[in-house]
Amino acid sequence: MSGLRELLSFRPGDARLADVDPRSTPGLPGNHVVGDDPKRWSQTRVAAISEELNAYQERLFASAKEGATNRRVLLVLQAMDCGGKDGTVRNVTQGMSPAGMKAVSFGPPDEEERRHDFLWRIRRALPSAGHIGIFNRSHYEDVLIVRVHDLIGEDVWAQRYEQINAFEAEMAADGLTMIKIMLHISKEEQKKRLLARLDDPSKHWKYNPGDLDERARWDDYQRAYDDALNRCSTTAAPWYVVPADRKWYRNWAVATLLRDTFADIDPQYPRPDFDVAAERAKLLAAD
Ligand code: AMP
Ligand code: MG
């Protein structure tokens, strides 16, 4: 692991979310590179990284053709309300081929989902070979909101950390590279963004009066996140904490984490299983 991944990976132990300043910009190149307009710099960089991501995506897709590999990539995004999950999805998928990508949002489980184990709907939503999946919320809600709201007993949710680790290790062994990112905003930033939602009629659909109840439980959520990050940051599937008060930094950091992960996978186009020269000669000789 190197570069930004090293800097942003959450090291289990006694690490706390509170140790990460949501306004900080770890790993950002110096002023001589970024200049005095970081938003513009980020836009330009993210556009360039997106080109790289699109090339990787195509190679990933091609490499899994006809079941050659079971390689797939899953970006898991978690955050408090207004943490920027939707904006991040928009940003990192700019220009990706929709055919090789699947973004899934998880809300409260419906009746059928409740009849199954909490990982049932997660397994069904995983990307298939050659695809990139993006989870907007995830199985981690089952140790976050479920715990904060006492939706089920502690005897049940307390076992889920191990179940999650076992599940993620099983998936990693089955070709799935998981990049789990917590977009970490401050309570003040959330207030600003909630206000912006209320002040803009085109954003009312994103607002839910329940958001204020969730906000009132801010500290409980931070504690629940601390435990989830500490207990489920594994070698097979590490957690990254991205300071997210500054959207331009967040976009650059997530795009970079994804790009660096793809660089390790380095998917390759499959070798043609036909004689290229012979096909070419046949084509030229035909009408
Ligand atoms: P949003 O992301 O704003 O559309 O809200 C989705 C809501 O669904 C959030 O309040 C989540 O906490 C909630 N949610 C997601 N997964 C679960 C789950 N497994 N159990 C209960 N609530 C959930
Ligand atoms: Mg919401």
Side-chain angles (χ1 to χ4, degrees):
M1 214 196 280
S2 62
L4 198 64
R5 283 182 297 168
E6 181 79 35
L7 271 178
L8 298 182
S9 67
F10 189 89
R11 284 184 187 68
D14 52 6
R16 293 271 165 276
L17 263 185
D19 300 334
V20 180
D21 177 0
R23 292 190 66 75
S24 61
T25 57
L28 196 71
N31 277 347
H32 60 291
V33 175
V34 175
D36 52 14
D37 190 349
K39 284 186 193 167
R40 240 193 101 157
W41 172 84
S42 169
Q43 255 174 17
T44 311
R45 279 306 301 147
V46 171
I49 296 169
S50 293
E51 304 255 318
E52 291 180 69
L53 285 176
N54 299 344
Y56 278 130
Q57 185 202 14
E58 185 177 275
R59 274 158 52 186
L60 181 71
F61 193 78
S63 73
K65 204 181 155 202
E66 284 156 14
T69 76
N70 202 20
R71 268 271 175 232
R72 48 237 159 89
V73 172
L74 176 65
L75 176 64
V76 171
L77 292 174
Q78 282 290 155
M80 298 292 287
D81 285 324
C82 297
K85 299 187 298 307
D86 294 322
T88 302
V89 174
R90 253 198 314 281
N91 238 277
V92 297
T93 60
Q94 53 179 287
M96 275 188 192
S97 163
M101 197 200 75
K102 182 161 114 174
V104 186
S105 299
F106 291 99
D110 63 25
E111 210 177 299
E112 184 181 24
E113 291 168 344
R114 277 201 305 271
R115 278 201 298 271
H116 293 86
D117 171 69
F118 75 106
L119 291 170
W120 181 75
R121 66 176 183 166
I122 302 297
R123 288 179 184 273
R124 285 160 56 100
L126 292 174
S128 43
H131 288 67
I132 300 179
I134 302 185
F135 280 3
N136 185 330
R137 303 190 190 270
S138 64
H139 43 302
Y140 282 91
E141 293 293 328
D142 292 282
V143 288
L144 293 166
I145 187 168
V146 163
R147 165 176 167 174
V148 169
H149 284 266
D150 279 323
L151 297 182
I152 53 168
E154 176 166 357
D155 53 323
V156 177
W157 61 250
Q159 296 191 32
R160 287 184 171 171
Y161 302 100
E162 282 313 315
Q163 291 168 359
I164 287 174
N165 288 343
F167 163 69
E168 292 182 354
E170 175 200 334
M171 289 304 115
D174 192 29
L176 182 77
T177 301
M178 231 188 252
I179 309 155
K180 304 184 292 189
I181 298 183
M182 159 65 172
L183 303 173
H184 178 45
I185 57 164
S186 64
K187 200 172 177 190
E188 302 74 56
E189 181 66 21
Q190 188 194 54
K191 187 170 198 171
K192 260 198 239 166
R193 293 184 189 181
L194 283 171
L195 267 176
R197 281 187 185 176
L198 287 170
D199 291 344
D200 178 350
S202 77
K203 288 185 177 167
H204 287 171
W205 66 277
K206 285 193 171 195
Y207 188 86
N208 173 347
D211 292 349
L212 292 188
D213 176 45
E214 297 297 83
R215 178 174 166 75
R217 299 169 193 250
W218 183 275
D219 293 341
D220 291 344
Y221 269 106
Q222 300 291 302
R223 259 192 298 279
Y225 267 109
D226 277 338
D227 281 348
L229 296 172
N230 270 295
R231 302 188 60 175
C232 300
S233 209
T234 59
T235 323
W239 267 106
Y240 300 98
V241 176
V242 169
D245 272 12
R246 300 177 203 264
K247 294 178 183 173
W248 58 265
Y249 172 80
R250 172 201 82 198
N251 288 340
W252 172 77
V254 174
T256 301
L257 290 174
L258 202 51
R259 194 267 321 269
D260 291 353
T261 303
F262 264 113
D264 274 2
I265 301 174
D266 197 21
Q268 299 295 324
Y269 287 115
R271 285 181 190 284
D273 54 3
F274 52 86
D275 182 339
V276 178
E279 290 300 308
R280 196 166 185 280
K282 266 198 277 180
L283 176 62
L284 288 176
D287 299 338

